[in-house]
Amino acid sequence: MTNEQGVLLSALQANYYFGQLRVVQERPLLVETERGRKKIRIWQNEALLKLHLKWRERLINDDFFIDRMYVTRSGLPSVRMGSLSVTCHDAPSEPVQLDGNEALLATALTRLVQYSRDVPAEEVPNSASVRVRSLYEQAKQIGFQDHDTWKMVSSCFSSACARAEEADRLREPYQNRRSAFILPEDFSLQSCTAIFDTLFLELGQSRPVDGCRLLARFFLAESMDHRKQSMNNLFQALKDQKLFDRETADLLQAEWLEPGEWMRLLESGINREQMQSDPFSIEEFKQIWDQKIKLIHLFKSVFAQSGDAGGGAARGAEGQQSD
Amino acid sequence: MSQSSNDRLQFSINESVWLRNDAPAEEILSMALEPDITVEENWNDVTIKGFLRLTGEYKPAEVSNTTGDADHNSAPFRTIDEIMDTGNGTDTLEHHFPIDITIPADRVPNLEDLFVVIDSFDYELSEHRHIQLQADIAITGLTNTNPGDRTEKPKAQAPIEQPVAPQPEAPKETVPTKKPEAKAPTKKPEAKAPAKKEEKPAKAEKKAAETKPETKKSAADKTPSSKAEEKPAQKDAAKKPLNPATKSKRTLGDDLTGEFEEMPTDQLNDEADADFQYEAFRKPEDEPQESGAPLVAFKGQSSGRSEAAAPSAQPTSPAPTPAAQNEEKTSETESAQDESTGKEKKADATSLFLTKMLAGDEAEQKTRVKICIVQSGDSLEKISERYHVPVTSLLRKNDLTSGDIEAGELLYIPKTAKAAQDDK
C-alpha cells in the first residue's frame, strides 16, 4: 500500500461509517467494507464533481439507483483532501445482460432521456455530408494505394452521401436547441450493474456529451452482441414507456445513418498511406454498415407501427427541460 | 468403395443401427432410405449436406423381463433416433445418417443436375434389434475429368462423409460411411471401420442364443429411393435453404424507398466485375511482404499480372468457411507432402477421398467476388437470379443465417472464374 493510499483509506475510515476497509482493486479504486464493496472516486475537477452531483440529483428515482453514493459523517457528499475530493459509491459487481432485462433497461433509459438534459457540452459537428465529400476528395488527391479499401470506399460513396444527407436533414431542426439529452461520455451497458432485480446505473466521472449519439452507439453495440429478438424487446419496451419523441427518434436515426464507419475506413486508408496506423478492416466496416441498416429497419418497424417515431408530437427544437 | 463414371460418383454404404432394448422388433414391415440434403455452392466447391433419412415400420417383439442389468437396458451401439407407436400394433422408426460431402466446383457444371440418388437399398434385421443396412448411393451431375490430372485439395470440413481409400479397379464396393457419432472432428475415419467390425462379433456372441434369422426384404421396390423418384425430392431438399429467404422482412423497404436515394448497384458491379475480386487460393510464399497493411477480404488484381500468377489475399472475414480456412495449402505443396509422408498421405487420402476424386485444376477454382448494395424491394432470390448465383452461396458468402436482408446492406456476390469466363 502506498503512502497516498494509506492516507486515503484513513480519510475514508474517518469520514464514513466503515469499520473495515480493504483495497480489492486499485484502478478504479474498489474497497471491501463490512457494508459491501464500494467504489471510491477521486475528483480533481471540482466543477465536474458539482455538475455530477447536480446531474445525479435530477435523476434520482424509485425505479433504480443512479450512482448510489454515501454521505460523510458530517452529511457532505464528498471528502475534501487537499485539492482533491473523494466520493464513495456502491459497486455491485453483477453485470446486467440485455437479454431478459429489456424492460428494466428501458425504464432506466426512459428516465435518462426525460431528465438527463442540459446544455450540450460539445460543439456541433460539421454537416456529415460535407465531411463525407471532403474526405473523399482528400483521399482522391492523395491517391490510394490500397486497392481493396479504395474499391469498397468508392463503391459505397454514393450510398454514404445519401445516408449523410439524410442524417443532416434529420438533425437540422435541432441544431440550435438550448437543452439536449446528455449522457456521460463513457456510458455503456457496463455502466449498469444489478443486485437481484435492482438496477444500479453509474454516472461515473466523465463529462456529459450528446446523449443521442451515445444512446445510438449503445443500441448498435448491443445489437451486434445480442440476437435481434432481444433488441426488438428493448425497443418494444421503450415504446411502451413512450420514450421516443420525434426529436430523440430523429437524432438516433441520424446517428445510425451518418456513415461514420465509411469515414473511418477512408481515414484508415489515408492514415495507412501516411504510415500512420489505424487499422480498420473492410470486414469491420461491412459489419457495422450492415448492422446499422438492420437497426434502422428494426427501429422503424417497432416505432412506426403507431407513428411513435419520426412523426409523433415534437418536443421541439428547443428541447425540454423536464426537471 | 466408390466409382466415378461419366457423370456420377457411386459408392456403397454398410451401416448398422440398433433398436433400443425396450423396443425390439419381431418383424420389419417396411423400410425406406431417402436423402434429405441441401446443396451449397461455395467459392471453390459444392457442399452436399444433410442426412440420409431411414424410416420404417415394424412389428414390435415382446420385451424380455429378464433384462435387469444396465448393459441390457441400453443399446450398446448406435440406436435409432426416434421410435413412435402407431397405435395399430406397430411402431415406426426414423433415423438420420449425416452427410457432408465437398465436391470441387469445377466438377459440378450445373447445380440443378446435382443429385444424391439411392440406387439400391437393402436391410436385414437380426437379434430383434440389430438392423443392418446396405445401400448403393450415387452422386449425379458431375463432370468427368481425368483423375490423373486431379489435385488433392485440403479437407473442406471436419465432419465429411468419409468413404474409404479408393480402389479404382473395383467397379462398386461397399464404403463405410461416416457414422453420426463420428461428428467429433478428432475421430479418425479409419478408426471407425475396425471398431465397427469388432462390435459385430461381440454382439453376436452376446446374443447368440437369441439370434434367429429375421425378415429380409429388398427395399428397392418399395422405397422412394429410385433415381427417378429421388430427383424431385432432391430438388426440394436442395431448395430448403431458400425458405428463410422467402420469409425475408420487406416491411420497411417502402419506408426507406422514400428516404434513400437509390444506390447504384449496376455501377458497383461494373467496377467490381473487372477487378474487384478475391482469389481464394493463395500460396503462402506469394503473400505480399512489402505492405504492412492488414490482410483484407478483397484483393484487387494488379494490372499486368496474370490471374494465375497473381498472389491473392487470405480472407479475413470474421467467420471464414472451413474451406477457405484450409485453402492456404497449394496443390504443389500437397504433392510434395504426398511424396514424403507415407502414412499421413494415406490418412489424408482416405479422409479426403471424395474431394480428391473430384478436384479439378486449381486455376479454374479461383473465385471472384462482387459486391452489391441491396435495393429496396430486393430479396435474396431476386439477387440470386440477377447474378446467377445460388441463394445458398449468398447465404454462406455473407454469413447469413436467414434470408433477412434490408435495403442498404452490402452483399458479397460470389462468382467463379468459370462463370466469369462464361460471361465474357
Side-chain angles (χ1 to χ4, degrees):
Chain A
M1 184 187 295
T2 61
N3 190 34
E4 290 83 0
Q5 203 175 68
V7 173
L8 175 61
L9 292 183
S10 299
L12 289 173
Q13 216 150 13
N15 285 280
Y16 293 95
Y17 290 98
F18 299 137
Q20 299 169 352
L21 274 177
R22 182 174 62 86
V23 176
V24 291
Q25 186 181 302
E26 295 202 352
R27 286 186 184 180
L29 182 58
L30 296 178
V31 294
E32 197 70 56
T33 74
E34 73 275 18
R35 296 182 185 181
R37 186 166 292 190
K38 309 296 171 200
K39 178 179 278 187
I40 306 300
R41 292 192 189 139
I42 300 166
W43 301 80
Q44 295 174 313
N45 185 336
E46 189 73 16
L48 186 63
L49 169 61
K50 285 182 178 170
L51 184 151
H52 265 263
L53 292 174
K54 193 177 163 189
W55 193 0
R56 177 182 168 275
E57 275 179 28
R58 281 209 305 267
L59 294 173
I60 288 175
N61 66 93
D62 295 332
D63 295 323
F64 59 93
F65 288 117
I66 180 84
D67 230 10
R68 190 163 191 253
M69 64 187 292
Y70 290 79
V71 293
T72 63
R73 292 185 180 193
S74 28
L76 297 172
S78 62
V79 178
R80 189 82 186 184
M81 292 181 65
S83 61
L84 305 176
S85 290
V86 175
T87 55
C88 176
H89 308 258
D90 272 338
S93 55
E94 187 183 328
V96 172
Q97 299 297 323
L98 179 58
D99 288 340
N101 289 306
E102 293 91 347
L104 196 63
L105 286 166
T107 304
L109 292 176
T110 302
R111 183 85 191 177
L112 287 176
V113 170
Q114 287 176 338
Y115 295 100
S116 179
R117 290 186 163 266
D118 207 336
V119 179
E122 296 170 299
E123 289 181 9
V124 178
N126 289 334
S127 122
S129 56
V130 168
R131 276 181 286 146
V132 163
R133 290 178 196 282
S134 64
L135 256 179
Y136 191 67
E137 287 304 316
Q138 187 188 343
K140 277 205 293 191
Q141 285 173 6
I142 288 173
F144 251 49
Q145 297 299 313
D146 185 340
H147 193 71
D148 306 322
T149 304
W150 179 249
K151 273 296 171 188
M152 180 61 94
V153 161
S154 56
S155 296
C156 298
F157 174 60
S158 61
S159 189
C161 284
R163 280 174 53 171
E165 282 162 12
E166 179 66 6
D168 287 342
R169 189 189 66 76
L170 286 169
R171 283 177 182 146
E172 202 277 329
Y174 314 106
Q175 292 290 344
N176 298 315
R177 60 203 164 145
R178 291 195 303 257
S179 167
F181 170 39
I182 54 169
L183 279 175
E185 196 170 20
D186 59 353
F187 176 81
S188 72
L189 195 59
Q190 279 70 52
S191 307
C192 303
T193 49
I195 294 179
F196 299 108
D197 289 333
T198 305
L199 183 72
F200 288 72
L201 202 152
E202 202 174 342
L203 272 185
Q205 291 179 273
S206 298
R207 64 180 188 135
V209 295
D210 180 357
C212 282
R213 178 175 304 158
L214 283 183
L215 194 55
R217 289 178 189 170
F218 169 83
F219 287 137
L220 179 63
E222 294 309 311
S223 71
M224 293 177 96
D225 289 346
H226 296 85
R227 58 200 171 87
K228 185 180 174 183
Q229 187 57 44
S230 199
M231 282 308 296
N232 191 59
N233 292 345
L234 180 60
F235 283 158
Q236 198 63 49
L238 288 167
K239 183 186 173 186
D240 295 343
Q241 303 262 358
K242 303 196 183 304
L243 164 65
F244 291 128
D245 53 21
R246 182 168 186 162
E247 177 188 341
T248 312
D250 284 353
L251 293 177
L252 277 175
Q253 290 178 79
E255 287 299 330
W256 293 323
L257 283 164
E258 182 177 309
E261 65 282 8
W262 181 88
M263 289 189 264
R264 195 177 158 199
L265 182 67
L266 190 51
E267 283 170 341
S268 168
I270 292 172
N271 290 338
R272 217 175 297 150
E273 299 298 329
Q274 297 171 345
M275 309 302 283
Q276 299 169 22
S277 74
D278 176 23
F280 186 64
S281 73
I282 290 175
E283 282 306 320
E284 286 175 283
F285 156 75
K286 182 180 180 300
Q287 203 179 3
I288 295 173
W289 177 287
D290 287 347
Q291 194 60 43
K292 279 183 168 181
I293 298 287
K294 287 183 201 295
L295 200 53
I296 291 168
H297 282 259
L298 180 64
F299 183 82
K300 284 188 171 183
S301 71
V302 171
F303 288 95
Q305 284 167 10
S306 57
D308 290 330
R315 179 170 278 160
E318 296 295 314
Q320 180 178 325
Q321 192 79 25
S322 302
D323 51 335
Chain B
M1 188 51 56
S2 64
Q3 179 189 22
S4 186
S5 67
N6 293 332
D7 68 336
R8 53 199 269 134
L9 174 78
Q10 295 171 299
F11 56 94
S12 302
I13 60 166
N14 272 331
E15 287 291 327
S16 286
V17 284
W18 302 77
L19 293 163
R20 289 199 316 267
N21 217 23
D22 57 351
E26 183 66 39
E27 179 186 5
I28 290 181
L29 303 174
S30 67
M31 195 157 282
L33 186 69
E34 53 188 339
D36 188 351
I37 54 112
T38 58
V39 178
E40 295 179 12
E41 187 181 22
N42 309 317
W43 301 323
N44 305 300
D45 52 51
V46 174
T47 305
I48 300 173
K49 281 186 177 176
F51 44 81
L52 295 175
R53 183 195 289 119
L54 175 72
T55 54
E57 186 174 4
Y58 68 94
K59 190 177 167 187
E62 290 290 324
V63 181
S64 167
N65 291 329
T66 58
T67 56
D69 59 340
D71 288 344
H72 278 252
N73 287 333
S74 60
F77 311 113
R78 179 193 308 158
T79 52
I80 291 287
D81 289 339
E82 192 176 337
I83 292 174
M84 289 181 67
D85 187 352
T86 61
N88 300 324
T90 60
D91 287 351
T92 59
L93 62 84
E94 183 164 342
H95 191 82
H96 295 166
F97 298 97
I99 289 181
D100 193 337
I101 300 172
T102 302
I103 303 168
D106 67 314
R107 302 300 312 275
V108 185
N110 188 354
L111 270 189
E112 296 297 315
D113 296 333
L114 187 67
F115 296 116
V116 174
V117 179
I118 312 285
D119 280 342
S120 69
F121 169 52
D122 205 353
Y123 60 88
E124 181 175 354
L125 175 69
S126 62
E127 303 165 40
H128 295 287
R129 293 175 54 218
H130 181 193
I131 303 171
Q132 284 182 292
L133 308 167
Q134 195 278 326
D136 294 327
I137 298 168
I139 300 172
T140 65
L142 307 175
T143 54
N144 189 27
T145 59
N146 181 5
D149 294 335
R150 291 172 196 148
T151 308
E152 184 173 340
K153 297 296 169 193
K155 186 177 180 181
Q157 286 191 334
I160 288 181
E161 186 79 6
Q162 303 291 359
V164 295
Q167 295 180 7
E169 62 280 7
K172 187 194 289 186
E173 288 182 29
T174 301
V175 179
T177 57
K178 196 191 83 170
K179 303 183 179 191
E181 305 88 79
K183 278 225 166 189
T186 53
K187 205 164 185 176
K188 295 280 181 188
E190 289 77 18
K192 283 178 284 177
K196 181 185 167 193
K197 283 174 186 173
E198 288 168 13
E199 287 166 2
K200 285 181 178 174
K203 178 70 188 171
E205 285 171 18
K206 193 173 179 181
K207 297 279 181 178
E210 304 171 9
T211 305
K212 69 174 185 180
E214 295 291 347
T215 313
K216 178 178 177 179
K217 295 177 182 176
S218 173
D221 56 344
K222 60 183 175 183
T223 64
S225 57
S226 70
K227 182 175 179 177
E229 289 168 334
E230 283 303 330
K231 280 197 172 184
Q234 179 60 30
K235 277 187 178 174
D236 290 342
K239 285 180 180 173
K240 277 192 174 178
L242 306 186
N243 291 342
T246 60
K247 293 176 185 171
S248 60
K249 272 187 154 183
R250 308 303 313 160
T251 53
L252 291 167
D254 293 338
D255 293 340
L256 281 183
T257 309
E259 297 174 13
F260 280 97
E261 189 180 321
E262 285 290 313
M263 298 161 187
T265 311
D266 294 341
Q267 174 199 335
L268 289 178
N269 298 335
D270 291 345
E271 282 181 10
D273 208 336
D275 50 7
F276 196 46
Q277 61 179 283
Y278 162 67
E279 293 168 319
F281 283 85
R282 177 179 67 96
K283 295 178 182 179
E285 62 270 25
D286 287 339
E287 194 170 338
Q289 299 295 324
E290 69 282 2
S291 168
L295 295 174
V296 293
F298 291 86
K299 195 70 191 170
Q301 186 180 24
S302 304
S303 57
R305 203 185 296 178
S306 75
E307 183 179 308
S312 56
Q314 180 69 7
T316 57
S317 84
T321 62
Q325 286 172 332
N326 289 317
E327 282 164 1
E328 287 191 23
K329 279 187 180 178
T330 64
S331 57
E332 290 171 18
T333 313
E334 286 187 357
S335 298
Q337 284 174 345
D338 285 349
E339 288 171 9
S340 60
T341 58
K343 280 188 178 179
E344 285 176 16
K345 180 198 163 198
K346 242 184 181 178
D348 287 346
T350 303
S351 61
L352 304 173
F353 172 65
L354 276 180
T355 308
K356 182 181 178 181
M357 280 287 292
L358 299 161
D361 182 18
E362 179 186 348
E364 289 181 16
Q365 296 192 19
K366 289 178 179 170
T367 307
R368 296 179 174 185
V369 68
K370 296 190 287 191
I371 192 162
C372 87
I373 301 178
V374 178
Q375 304 295 298
S376 181
D378 268 352
S379 65
L380 274 188
E381 287 85 354
K382 283 186 182 176
I383 293 169
S384 159
E385 286 170 15
R386 191 183 306 151
Y387 294 101
H388 309 292
V389 175
V391 172
T392 49
S393 297
L394 292 174
L395 287 167
R396 175 172 282 224
K397 179 68 187 168
N398 291 280
D399 288 332
L400 297 174
T401 51
S402 74
D404 262 353
I405 53 169
E406 306 288 1
E409 278 186 50
L410 303 174
L411 269 190
Y412 293 139
I413 310 292
K415 191 175 185 186
T416 62
K418 187 172 180 293
Q421 284 172 0
D422 291 346
D423 287 350
K424 291 172 188 173

